[in-house]
């Protein structure tokens, strides 16, 4: 309805532009959630929503949640309590605020979220966020909306394509989801229950999105999936392609200079993908390949379906074709039944592989997973002590890897301004921040630099 103060506007006077509705999106968890948040923003942009970094200004507040970490749901409910108060404050000024919960906690909790926090207007799962605009319209009409059924249709076909100007604003690196869901059913993991079974996007769809990214100035694309190397999509020839062949196709797109992919499962590293690391210069020499544990007994209990020796042989094969490959991994300590000997086997595997980066966590039960029903849980004090020992070893390896860069000549993709005036920040082939003088180039340039010194996590360089 037109405000009363506008009723006396002179005939023929041009109406001022209507301010766009504003959406504030808070993203938890993995890179795939970052991608999902961007695509939800794309879908909302069609309905006139512009992003804002100020939650106080938002007509729509959307929490895109992750269920991997301990007490994830409780953290979401705590955040919702604060947003409820903001909604009430804005309502006192006559402003509407819609609260939405998306992502894996939304999928796991469903209508329980609205029952526990009535200020929430809509709940939407990761497989149904293409329905967000319609769900939002219902919510604004007073309906409490829950959309967590697994969609039969392909959500990517129904999402509007991001406009070039929006992609340009996101920088010269981008995520691109090619695969979703998981069929592995590791006993510690909720992903198969929140993201569903493995689904691969077709080649044409992926290439079209990558081409739009390249047109907007993106130089580096990271392919995403819960098990990204399990991707097997329909090719333009009607046959089934694997990830190695897809990477070769994406490298042909003008403007795309660098490619990465994450997260991988050891059982899905086939010969074609390993050969792509040998043959494809655009494919960066950094591989996140989680193993979780070094004990065969614990790996079996986790339902990983590979042994420690299988993993080590795989790493050896990969490094044989790409000697500069840096390995990254995930580790869980204190899984039910883990003994001192089991933990020592994990430490020994870490010493053998020599990781450039890794993520390590104490095991915590996830409701609904087989691990939660196991007996012989490890005491928290023991888990704490083991985690500290593992992280000390991994931290030492990461520092050694970084320190070894001193004096080397490498390429760096300049991707953002530095924190200090006169600086730019790039990323090395191994994902390390590279700090250079602003005269070295412009954002989007890939330059050769010499590493003059190393910090704890960063490299300092001069252009060649």
């Amino acid at each position: 309805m037109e405000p009363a103060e506008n009723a006396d506007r002179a005939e023929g006077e041009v109406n001022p532009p209507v301010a766009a509705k504003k959406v504030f999106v808070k993203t938890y968890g993995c890179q795939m959630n970052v991608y999902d948040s961007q695509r939800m923003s794309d879908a909302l942009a069609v309905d006139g929503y512009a992003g804002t970094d100020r939650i106080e200004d938002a007509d729509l507040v959307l929490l895109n949640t992750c269920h991997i970490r301990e007490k994830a749901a409780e953290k979401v409910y705590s955040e919702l309590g604060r947003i409820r108060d903001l909604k009430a404050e804005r309502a006192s000024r006559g402003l509407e605020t819609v609260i939405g919960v998306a992502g894996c906690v939304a999928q796991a909790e469903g209508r329980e979220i609205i029952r526990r926090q009535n200020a929430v207007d809509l709940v939407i799962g990761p497989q149904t966020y293409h329905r967000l605009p319609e769900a939002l319209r219902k919510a604004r009409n007073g309906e409490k909306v829950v959309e967590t059924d697994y969609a039969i249709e392909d959500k990517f076909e129904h999402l509007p394509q991001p406009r070039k100007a929006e992609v340009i604003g996101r920088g010269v690196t981008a995520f691109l989801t090619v695969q979703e869901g998981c069929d592995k059913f590791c006993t510690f993991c909720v992903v198969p229950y929140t993201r569903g079974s493995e689904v691969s996007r077709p080649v044409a769809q992926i290439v079209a999105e990558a081409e739009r990214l390249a047109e907007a100035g993106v130089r580096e694309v990271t392919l995403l999936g819960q098990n990204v190397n399990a991707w097997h999509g329909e090719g333009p020839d009607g046959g089934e392609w694997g990830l190695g062949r897809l990477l070769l196709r994406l490298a042909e797109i003008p403007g795309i200079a660098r490619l990465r992919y994450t997260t991988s499962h050891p059982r899905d590293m086939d010969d074609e993908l390993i050969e792509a690391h040998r043959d494809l210069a655009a494919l960066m020499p950094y591989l996140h390949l989680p193993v979780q544990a070094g004990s065969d007994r614990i790996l079996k209990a986790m339902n990983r379906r590979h042994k420690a020796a299988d993993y080590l042989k795989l790493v050896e094969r990969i490094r044989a074709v790409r000697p500069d490959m840096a390995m990254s991994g995930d580790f869980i300590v204190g899984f039910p039944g883990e003994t001192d000997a089991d933990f020592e086997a994990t430490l020994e595997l870490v010493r053998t592989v020599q990781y450039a980066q890794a993520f390590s966590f104490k095991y915590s039960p996830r409701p609904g997973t087989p691990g939660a029903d196991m007996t012989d849980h490890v005491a928290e004090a023991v888990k704490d002590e083991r985690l500290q020992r593992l992280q000390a070893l991994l931290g030492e390896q990461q520092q050694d890897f970084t320190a070894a860069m001193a004096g080397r000549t490498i390429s760096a993709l300049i991707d953002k301004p530095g924190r200090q005036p006169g600086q730019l920040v790039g990323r090395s082939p191994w994902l390390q921040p590279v700090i250079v003088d602003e005269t070295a180039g412009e954002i989007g340039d890939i330059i050769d630099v010499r590493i003059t010194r190393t910090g704890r996590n960063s490299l300092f360089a001069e252009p060649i």
Side-chain angles (χ1 to χ4, degrees):
M1 182 180 294
E2 188 178 67
E5 61 265 29
N6 292 338
D8 296 329
R9 183 179 293 117
E11 185 177 352
E13 184 176 343
V14 177
N15 291 334
V18 177
K21 299 185 288 291
K22 295 181 179 179
V23 56
F24 175 88
V25 182
K26 182 170 182 177
T27 305
Y28 300 78
C30 66
Q31 298 99 323
M32 188 169 286
N33 268 16
V34 174
Y35 175 86
D36 286 350
S37 291
Q38 291 174 344
R39 296 312 307 273
M40 284 190 281
S41 296
D42 295 336
L44 291 168
V46 176
D47 275 14
Y49 280 87
T52 178
D53 293 329
R54 284 177 47 84
I55 191 172
E56 299 85 358
D57 298 337
D59 304 286
L60 168 63
V61 177
L62 197 59
L63 304 184
N64 191 14
T65 60
C66 175
H67 208 276
I68 294 295
R69 299 289 173 259
E70 187 176 9
K71 299 179 181 176
E74 294 307 315
K75 293 175 183 177
V76 171
Y77 288 121
S78 177
E79 182 73 11
L80 287 172
R82 291 188 285 270
I83 299 171
R84 173 200 59 201
D85 297 340
L86 172 66
K87 181 176 183 175
E89 188 277 327
R90 281 174 54 88
S92 70
R93 295 186 280 126
L95 300 173
E96 179 188 53
T97 309
V98 176
I99 301 176
V101 180
C104 292
V105 171
Q107 186 69 41
E109 298 280 304
R111 194 164 291 278
E112 176 70 7
I113 294 175
I114 292 177
R115 189 193 69 79
R116 288 186 57 177
Q117 183 49 266
N118 193 52
V120 174
D121 301 290
L122 67 93
V123 177
I124 195 157
Q127 303 306 326
T128 50
Y129 66 72
H130 57 295
R131 301 175 184 168
L132 179 58
E134 178 59 29
L136 181 56
R137 282 188 280 274
K138 293 179 181 177
R140 295 188 68 190
N141 286 328
E143 183 178 341
K144 296 289 187 180
V145 182
V146 178
E147 285 272 10
T148 55
D149 293 336
Y150 287 109
I152 298 174
E153 70 270 26
D154 179 0
K155 71 179 180 186
F156 295 101
E157 285 284 359
H158 290 77
L159 284 168
Q161 300 304 333
R163 291 175 291 194
K164 184 175 179 179
E166 293 165 348
V167 178
I168 288 173
R170 294 172 188 165
V172 297
T173 64
F175 296 128
L176 200 171
T177 292
V178 300
Q179 180 271 343
E180 287 200 352
C182 183
D183 294 340
K184 299 297 188 291
F185 287 92
C186 298
T187 55
F188 54 79
C189 187
V190 297
V191 166
Y193 311 101
T194 58
R195 288 275 183 172
S197 58
E198 290 179 1
V199 177
S200 296
R201 296 177 69 185
V203 172
Q205 205 178 91
I206 296 167
V207 170
E209 187 169 338
E211 287 174 340
R212 282 189 296 274
L213 293 173
E215 289 169 2
V218 169
R219 306 298 314 280
E220 178 179 296
V221 174
T222 300
L223 307 184
L224 299 180
Q226 265 82 37
N227 278 322
V228 67
N229 56 341
W231 178 88
H232 284 86
E234 181 185 354
D237 55 2
E240 187 177 78
W241 288 24
L243 187 63
R245 190 174 179 184
L246 175 65
L247 288 162
L248 291 169
R249 172 64 184 89
L250 294 175
E252 296 173 356
I253 297 174
I256 301 297
R258 289 180 162 192
L259 292 167
R260 304 179 188 273
Y261 60 90
T262 194
T263 291
S264 304
H265 194 288
R267 295 181 60 243
D268 293 315
M269 288 293 299
D270 60 22
D271 292 343
E272 186 180 49
L273 182 54
I274 293 173
E275 289 165 3
H277 281 284
R278 178 194 66 198
D279 301 333
L280 194 55
L283 185 54
M284 293 294 96
Y286 179 92
L287 178 60
H288 187 65
L289 191 65
V291 64
Q292 306 299 354
S295 160
D296 288 346
R297 196 175 68 84
I298 296 301
L299 289 171
K300 183 176 181 179
M302 289 178 168
N303 195 35
R304 293 291 289 175
R305 289 183 282 179
H306 65 78
K307 295 183 177 181
D310 300 328
Y311 181 86
L312 293 174
K313 288 177 183 176
L314 180 58
V315 171
E316 186 177 338
R317 287 186 62 202
I318 294 166
R319 283 180 166 158
V321 301
R322 192 69 193 256
D324 61 342
M325 179 66 75
M327 301 301 301
S328 171
D330 290 344
F331 295 90
I332 295 172
V333 302
F335 191 78
E338 183 185 71
T339 65
D340 288 342
D342 293 322
F343 178 66
E344 287 298 331
T346 296
L347 294 180
E348 185 57 32
L349 182 143
V350 171
R351 294 186 189 102
T352 301
V353 173
Q354 294 290 312
Y355 287 91
Q357 177 67 274
F359 305 92
S360 52
F361 312 94
K362 293 186 297 182
Y363 173 75
S364 58
R366 295 291 177 270
T369 62
D373 297 327
M374 292 180 178
T375 58
D376 201 13
H377 283 261
V378 178
E380 284 299 314
V382 175
K383 287 195 277 189
D384 288 337
E385 188 271 338
R386 288 176 183 170
L387 183 62
Q388 290 177 19
R389 288 174 60 194
L390 175 60
Q391 290 183 339
L393 176 58
L394 291 168
E396 180 182 329
Q397 291 184 354
Q398 182 178 350
Q399 289 302 302
D400 288 346
F401 182 80
T402 302
M405 293 288 164
R408 291 185 58 180
T409 296
I410 66 170
S411 67
L413 168 61
I414 301 176
D415 64 345
K416 60 186 176 182
R419 292 182 180 178
Q420 301 298 326
Q423 288 182 343
L424 291 171
V425 179
R427 56 172 66 187
S428 78
W430 304 278
L431 279 179
Q432 301 143 304
V434 181
I435 299 169
V436 295
D437 187 87
E438 64 180 355
T439 61
E442 298 180 354
I443 292 175
D445 289 346
I446 297 177
I447 62 174
D448 289 333
V449 298
R450 180 181 296 107
I451 307 303
T452 56
R453 63 185 177 94
T454 63
R456 181 171 179 83
N457 298 303
S458 302
L459 307 175
F460 297 83
E462 60 184 12
I464 301 297

